[in-house]
Amino acid sequence: MAHTHTPEQIRALRDENPKARARDFAGMQGITEAELVAAYVGLTATAINAAPDALFPLIGELGDVMALTRNESCVHERRGVYEDYRAGPHAAMVLGSEIDMRMFPSHWKFGFAVVEAGEDGPKRSLQVFDAAGDAVHKVHLKPESNVAAFDALVAALRLPEQSGQLSLIARAPVEGPKGDPARVADLRAEWKTMTDTHQFLKLTRRLKFNRLGANRAVGPQFAAQVENDTITKVLHAAADQKIPLMIFVGNAGCIQIHGGPIEKVVPMGPWINVMDPRFNLHLRADHITEVWRVTKPTQRGDAISVEAFDAEGGLILQIFGYRKDAPPVAWDALMASLLVLEQVMA
């Protein structure tokens, strides 16, 4: 992937437009967010080892921080401590009481520790990007965070080569809805016998479906299309009725999960926001082009979710009822009340 700007050119352009959000500025300049951060290596950024097995034991020492995972249409921000890290070559996990994540290490390519000037003093963060230069996950320190542990992390994970230029690959296109019409009967039969939601991806992959293709094909017993404003309505209803949720937002390298109630839902232009003290969600509601109510059988009863997709068929977010302490009766009733559209078949 050819470089369009040198680090010096990127910094000069940034000086002309310092107030734009990093992601927006990068898009305007035709560069990736990773290239923008890398342009400041040796100034405000330090290149560090991005491997989760190296990062997460040390991130856990930072104390109370803000974890941020996003995709093109949704940002998930959760305050907490990174606890109970579980390593894995293909998938790793953080299973803390507040920060709950699934990580896919092959996508954790470029890591940076960033210290920038802020209105209230230095702003410290850890930022990880994939091979295409897109953000995978960020950790933002707060006033309560352990600065000494941050400094120790940077010293321990600093790369020998501190370069302001990255070798990037082209971004993979979003896979649109996919399915094998000859295997629809198999899909329905095997879906019916699921005992755990984690079996879903393996099942669909083996039958040559992806998530949206399976939703479109399986039939209304298990997946029914609902109105595009369903996510907004569900968030308002959950806040009003105090229905605890599990909200999943992710990208190819990371999925971040909020588990518990939400309180304050605030529309702002095209955005629908949850603005709680320990959890924020920022969703571009205008990016949603399909929403599905999906039912997966489990040993503990049906797990019912709403899933939002963008125009390319990419998953924006999923919302389930929170069922750690008790069956999600109120959530299930809310799901039963949704207006189902005419079935769309693959």
Side-chain angles (χ1 to χ4, degrees):
M1 186 172 170
H3 296 290
T4 55
H5 299 74
T6 66
E8 293 77 17
Q9 289 171 329
I10 292 172
R11 294 196 299 270
L13 289 166
R14 187 59 161 153
D15 287 343
E16 296 173 5
N17 190 358
K19 293 188 177 180
R21 291 181 180 273
R23 186 182 181 91
D24 295 338
F25 172 83
M28 287 187 291
Q29 303 303 329
I31 62 174
T32 67
E33 196 178 349
E35 288 174 293
L36 173 59
V37 176
Y40 288 87
V41 165
L43 299 170
T44 58
T46 303
I48 61 172
N49 185 347
D53 282 359
L55 271 173
F56 281 94
L58 298 178
I59 290 177
E61 300 298 318
L62 298 178
D64 190 36
V65 294
M66 190 265 277
L68 186 153
T69 300
R70 68 166 301 156
N71 53 48
E72 194 64 33
S73 304
C74 195
V75 185
H76 190 294
E77 301 172 344
R78 193 68 168 88
R79 287 289 298 269
V81 179
Y82 286 77
E83 301 172 309
D84 195 7
Y85 173 67
R86 303 188 185 187
H90 305 295
M93 297 183 284
V94 170
L95 298 174
S97 57
E98 291 188 283
I99 297 179
D100 186 0
M101 294 169 51
R102 309 292 178 267
M103 296 83 72
F104 307 100
S106 65
H107 294 278
W108 292 57
K109 182 69 174 177
F110 303 108
F112 301 94
V114 180
V115 183
E116 300 172 295
E119 293 181 1
D120 302 317
K123 296 191 301 181
R124 296 174 174 85
S125 64
L126 302 170
Q127 304 188 27
V128 177
F129 302 89
D130 65 15
D134 293 327
V136 172
H137 185 63
K138 298 181 182 181
V139 182
H140 291 273
L141 275 68
K142 295 296 182 180
E144 303 83 1
S145 306
N146 186 335
V147 174
F150 178 85
D151 293 340
L153 182 153
V154 177
L157 301 184
R158 178 188 177 95
L159 296 180
E161 182 180 346
Q162 293 289 310
S163 173
Q165 287 197 319
L166 305 177
S167 178
L168 301 177
I169 65 171
R171 183 183 293 116
V174 174
E175 182 182 67
K178 183 181 78 172
D180 180 353
R183 305 299 298 275
V184 170
D186 295 333
L187 175 70
R188 291 172 180 159
E190 295 198 30
W191 192 309
K192 191 174 184 178
T193 63
M194 271 195 289
T195 57
D196 189 294
T197 57
H198 296 101
Q199 297 166 356
F200 175 79
L201 287 179
K202 188 181 291 186
L203 181 162
T204 52
R205 198 174 292 126
R206 182 165 43 78
L207 296 176
K208 310 300 183 190
F209 288 83
N210 63 8
R211 186 182 297 276
L212 182 54
N215 286 354
R216 287 184 176 185
V218 73
Q221 179 184 359
F222 297 117
Q225 191 173 4
V226 294
E227 297 172 308
N228 285 351
D229 64 353
T230 293
I231 298 294
T232 298
K233 291 178 178 177
V234 162
L235 292 172
H236 279 293
D240 293 344
Q241 300 174 38
K242 302 188 180 341
I243 301 173
L245 306 175
M246 294 189 74
I247 303 176
F248 294 68
V249 173
N251 50 60
C254 188
I255 299 169
Q256 191 166 301
I257 307 161
H258 164 77
I262 60 172
E263 298 170 7
K264 188 176 181 182
V265 180
V266 183
M268 230 175 247
W271 295 89
I272 185 74
N273 306 280
V274 177
M275 303 293 287
D276 291 347
R278 306 286 289 178
F279 172 59
N280 284 186
L281 183 80
H282 309 290
L283 169 65
R284 281 289 298 262
D286 59 327
H287 285 191
I288 297 172
T289 58
E290 287 186 38
V291 181
W292 292 80
R293 182 187 66 198
V294 181
T295 302
K296 299 185 181 80
T298 80
Q299 290 180 324
R300 301 168 61 194
D302 287 344
I304 307 174
S305 62
V306 284
E307 304 180 353
F309 296 85
D310 63 23
E312 296 178 302
L315 179 65
I316 298 174
L317 84 166
Q318 295 173 290
I319 306 177
F320 288 80
Y322 186 78
R323 60 190 302 149
K324 183 176 179 181
D325 303 316
V329 176
W331 170 259
D332 289 352
L334 177 60
M335 291 296 95
S337 73
L338 298 181
L339 176 64
V340 175
L341 304 180
E342 183 179 347
Q343 186 71 14
V344 176
M345 301 301 291

